Amino acid sequence: MSLTEVPEVAAVRTALREGAQLSEQWSKPEAHQILKRLIPKGHLLEAKQIVQGFDMLGDLRLKTLLKLYRHARRTGYVGYSTDIAAEVAQRTGEDADLYRASKTQSDLAFLRNPWSQLPELPGGDYRDAAGPVLHIVAKSYPETTTGYAVRTKHTAEALAERGIGSVLAVPSGGNVGVEVEQTLEREENGIRTVLLGGPALKNTTRFEWLERNTDALHRLVTRMRPRAIHAHSDYVNGVLASHVGEATGVPVVYEVRGFWEETWLAGLETAQEWENPDEALRLYGTPDAYRFRRENERKVRERADHVITLARTMRDHITAESNAAQLSEADVTVVPNAVVPEDFPMPSGVSPARATHGIDPTDITIGYISSITEYEGIETLLDAFGLLKSRPSALRVHLLIVGDGPTLEKLQEYAAQLGLQQVTFTGRIPHEEITDYYHAIDIFVVPRRRTRVTELVTPLKPFEALATGRTLVLSDLPALREIAADAGDRARTFIPGDAHDLARTLAEATESSDGSVRPDEASAAWVRRHRTWERNGTLCARVYQSL
């Protein structure tokens, strides 16, 4: 919809851009008329500015308030949604509305100061330097088979090989909201997993969830007497760990696996279709969900006894974000993504995945394996593949996109609009078949768009691709350049978002005298020497020993 169809949008944006007070631009009756145009057309961020600028919540109908509330929650304006929920509850007095207001207020209080919302704990000294490590994680294996859960599993196994036990604790409702009524414990290969009982956060108030999980973790620590508490992203796990660790005298390590506030913001930018995200944040204000998450991540890192992260690019960001240089490089250990070499061997023949999807054994297959999300830049890969196919060449090429995610259907439609042939979308595949799909690919592409999160966070999949000898093509982003540099600059890079440059890079990668793409044995050997979980276990053990 163009701005000429809703001229009030342009008027509000212009006023905001110029820094004007909206209450000085229009009278309250005029503001009401503007809202009547904005809200039905879905311009709810502009409506937010009008509602707040004129203090109009008390003037709006319940149906309108609830519409604004849902949008405020989706877009992370938690303070605004709290005000709306309070207004609705005051008017109706209904139990459901009172509960929503209480829950929203609890969420806001936690965002503003997480530690102030935690119950007091009895003190003591429960550290045993020879005890296990208590890992606090958001997901566990095999309940989920994400990279997050797999990294935790391999870390614990590598520590076990060094005689260091691990207990993996998942707060209630972890594993993507899966609930267990009573705490469940199991042991497999010497590694204990504890799924804390109770409702998921979405089904209770923040305070009740915090109280239950804090008490449960405190009891677990006093029983097992760990050498360290190792909390893994996000900051909620870090808050619980620091609170329990300080009460029990157990040192805390916080592992930064990503900057999830940046991932969340990238998703918001896509959902809102912001062409200029920086300007949008200036106009509408930085969402509380982003602002407080970022601040709380920083506080958790600074409160921990040591920090672990995945790459030098991430370490540099962590130290740069630290207040008054409280964290230096010496306070942050890089424990990179890694592979189990035996799980990702070099191919010994034609992958059965080719036959499954009707890919000719002689085709050069360009591929991608990961979650199908907006910031991964798969549209650029599709555009580049179309350009590559249009080049005069005798080579047969196929594009294989493996994985599932929120933008899969949109990308399938886009490929159809482009009229692309020889493109296969597999959707979700069984985890145990992943190596067959790497073997089906000749050139593995990581086509990520340029966003704050993609500039900072190093993904796992390039290491798995290198281990199987795939030729690697990467967006020229800091986090991905680090992988290319570490692997001896054997990976090719292209300008992020530039389909023509990617097509050129792919054409160069396919050029050979016999029309084939040879396995990159040197890169595979590098991964097998320098990016293993065994090596990571040694790095983690050194961290625990230093505490």
Side-chain angles (χ1 to χ4, degrees):
M1 181 179 300
S2 68
L3 297 187
T4 56
E5 293 181 61
V6 189
E8 290 82 359
V9 173
V12 172
R13 290 181 183 176
T14 298
L16 294 172
R17 197 173 289 117
E18 294 174 352
Q21 292 290 327
L22 298 185
S23 58
E24 296 177 1
Q25 296 289 110
W26 299 287
S27 66
K28 199 165 187 179
E30 289 173 329
H32 273 290
Q33 293 304 312
I34 292 171
L35 279 184
K36 288 181 180 179
R37 291 280 290 165
L38 294 176
I39 293 175
K41 298 294 185 180
H43 296 287
L44 302 186
L45 288 175
E46 288 78 13
K48 175 178 82 73
Q49 301 304 108
I50 293 287
V51 169
Q52 292 180 313
F54 287 88
D55 191 19
M56 295 175 68
L57 288 179
D59 303 334
L60 302 178
R61 296 181 304 164
L62 283 175
K63 183 178 180 180
T64 299
L65 287 172
L66 291 173
K67 182 175 184 177
L68 296 179
Y69 171 82
R70 289 190 292 270
H71 182 263
R73 294 292 286 182
R74 286 197 303 273
T75 52
Y77 292 98
V78 185
Y80 178 47
S81 70
T82 300
D83 292 341
I84 298 172
E87 174 67 27
V88 172
Q90 183 180 15
R91 285 199 211 175
T92 69
E94 294 183 2
D95 288 345
D97 294 330
L98 292 168
Y99 176 77
R100 177 172 50 227
S102 173
K103 183 172 172 58
T104 309
Q105 179 61 49
S106 177
D107 289 344
L108 179 60
F110 180 77
L111 277 173
R112 284 176 169 165
N113 186 350
W115 289 272
S116 70
Q117 303 301 301
L118 300 176
E120 290 188 16
L121 295 173
D125 184 3
Y126 293 94
R127 185 193 187 192
D128 181 349
V133 175
L134 174 61
H135 300 265
I136 303 178
V137 296
K139 302 179 181 71
S140 61
Y141 188 93
E143 284 78 15
T144 60
T145 57
T146 61
Y148 183 106
V150 170
R151 178 178 170 92
T152 304
K153 172 180 179 290
H154 288 314
T155 298
E157 290 172 346
L159 289 171
E161 292 176 1
R162 281 150 190 77
I164 300 174
S166 289
V167 177
L168 314 183
V170 183
S172 59
N175 292 316
V176 200
V178 176
E179 295 183 359
V180 292
E181 291 187 10
Q182 302 294 327
T183 295
L184 300 178
E185 295 193 27
R186 66 166 184 269
E187 185 167 333
E188 186 175 351
N189 298 327
I191 298 168
R192 271 193 292 163
T193 299
V194 181
L195 306 179
L196 300 182
L201 180 57
K202 64 183 179 181
N203 296 324
T204 187
T205 65
R206 177 76 66 168
F207 180 79
E208 291 169 343
W209 186 90
L210 290 169
E211 185 173 43
R212 176 187 290 269
N213 284 276
T214 302
D215 289 343
L217 288 169
H218 183 264
R219 290 193 300 273
L220 192 58
V221 167
T222 59
R223 173 161 59 94
M224 63 178 281
R225 302 181 70 89
R227 68 179 68 194
I229 300 174
H230 186 155
H232 305 253
S233 293
D234 71 353
Y235 79 93
V236 177
N237 290 337
V239 168
L240 293 172
S242 64
H243 189 60
V244 173
E246 289 163 10
T248 57
V250 180
V252 172
V253 175
Y254 182 53
E255 181 170 319
V256 181
R257 296 192 175 185
F259 301 104
W260 291 2
E261 69 279 10
E262 302 296 346
T263 303
W264 178 87
L265 186 61
L268 177 66
E269 292 167 0
T270 298
Q272 295 297 308
E273 299 181 344
W274 287 344
E275 295 181 1
N276 187 337
D278 290 338
E279 183 185 47
L281 295 178
R282 286 194 299 271
L283 293 181
Y284 311 124
T286 302
D288 304 311
Y290 172 78
R291 180 164 54 93
F292 287 124
R293 282 177 181 174
R294 183 175 177 180
E295 181 70 6
N296 289 330
E297 288 284 354
R298 180 189 63 77
K299 289 178 179 177
V300 167
R301 296 191 295 258
E302 293 175 353
R303 201 155 173 163
D305 295 282
H306 198 80
V307 176
I308 286 174
T309 195
L310 311 186
R312 295 186 302 278
T313 303
M314 298 174 69
R315 179 198 63 195
D316 294 345
H317 177 72
I318 287 168
T319 55
E321 286 266 293
S322 178
N323 270 350
Q326 289 188 46
L327 292 176
S328 67
E329 285 190 9
D331 301 310
V332 185
T333 296
V334 174
V335 180
N337 278 315
V339 300
V340 177
E342 296 77 15
D343 290 347
F344 297 95
M346 297 281 283
S348 58
V350 177
S351 167
R354 287 197 175 224
T356 299
H357 297 285
I359 302 173
D360 191 283
T362 63
D363 284 1
I364 293 178
T365 303
I366 298 161
Y368 164 94
I369 301 175
S370 193
S371 298
I372 311 297
T373 60
E374 192 76 30
Y375 64 75
E376 294 292 355
I378 306 172
E379 298 96 332
T380 302
L381 178 56
L382 290 169
D383 289 335
F385 184 73
L387 292 169
L388 182 67
K389 292 277 288 180
S390 68
R391 291 178 173 230
S393 172
L395 293 177
R396 287 174 51 86
V397 291
H398 198 105
L399 181 60
L400 179 63
I401 298 175
V402 181
D404 196 4
T407 60
L408 176 59
E409 185 175 340
K410 174 183 173 183
L411 289 167
Q412 290 171 321
E413 293 173 355
Y414 185 61
Q417 290 171 10
L418 294 176
L420 295 179
Q421 304 295 319
Q422 287 80 49
V423 176
T424 299
F425 293 88
T426 69
R428 188 181 303 275
I429 62 167
H431 183 71
E432 59 272 16
E433 296 178 11
I434 191 71
T435 304
D436 288 339
Y437 283 86
Y438 278 114
H439 290 170
I441 293 168
D442 297 299
I443 303 171
F444 189 89
V445 184
V446 183
R448 287 186 156 188
R449 293 170 42 214
R450 185 181 296 281
T451 67
R452 276 180 60 85
V453 67
T454 57
E455 288 187 332
L456 293 171
V457 178
T458 303
L460 171 62
K461 291 299 186 285
F463 296 102
E464 296 176 346
L466 284 173
T468 60
R470 304 306 85 193
T471 294
L472 196 59
V473 174
L474 307 169
S475 289
D476 192 7
L477 298 166
L480 297 177
R481 277 202 303 273
E482 182 175 332
I483 297 174
D486 287 348
D489 287 318
R490 281 180 287 271
R492 300 171 185 266
T493 60
F494 68 97
I495 300 169
D498 189 329
H500 289 274
D501 195 44
L502 176 53
R504 178 192 59 77
T505 305
L506 292 173
E508 291 175 356
T510 60
E511 290 174 355
S512 65
S513 58
D514 60 357
S516 65
V517 178
R518 294 182 178 84
D520 185 350
E521 296 182 3
S523 293
W526 172 80
V527 170
R528 294 167 192 281
R529 284 195 304 269
H530 300 291
R531 291 295 181 267
T532 65
W533 297 113
E534 180 182 7
R535 177 177 177 273
N536 282 5
T538 300
L539 294 173
C540 288
R542 288 175 184 167
V543 169
Y544 305 144
Q545 189 175 9
S546 71
L547 298 175

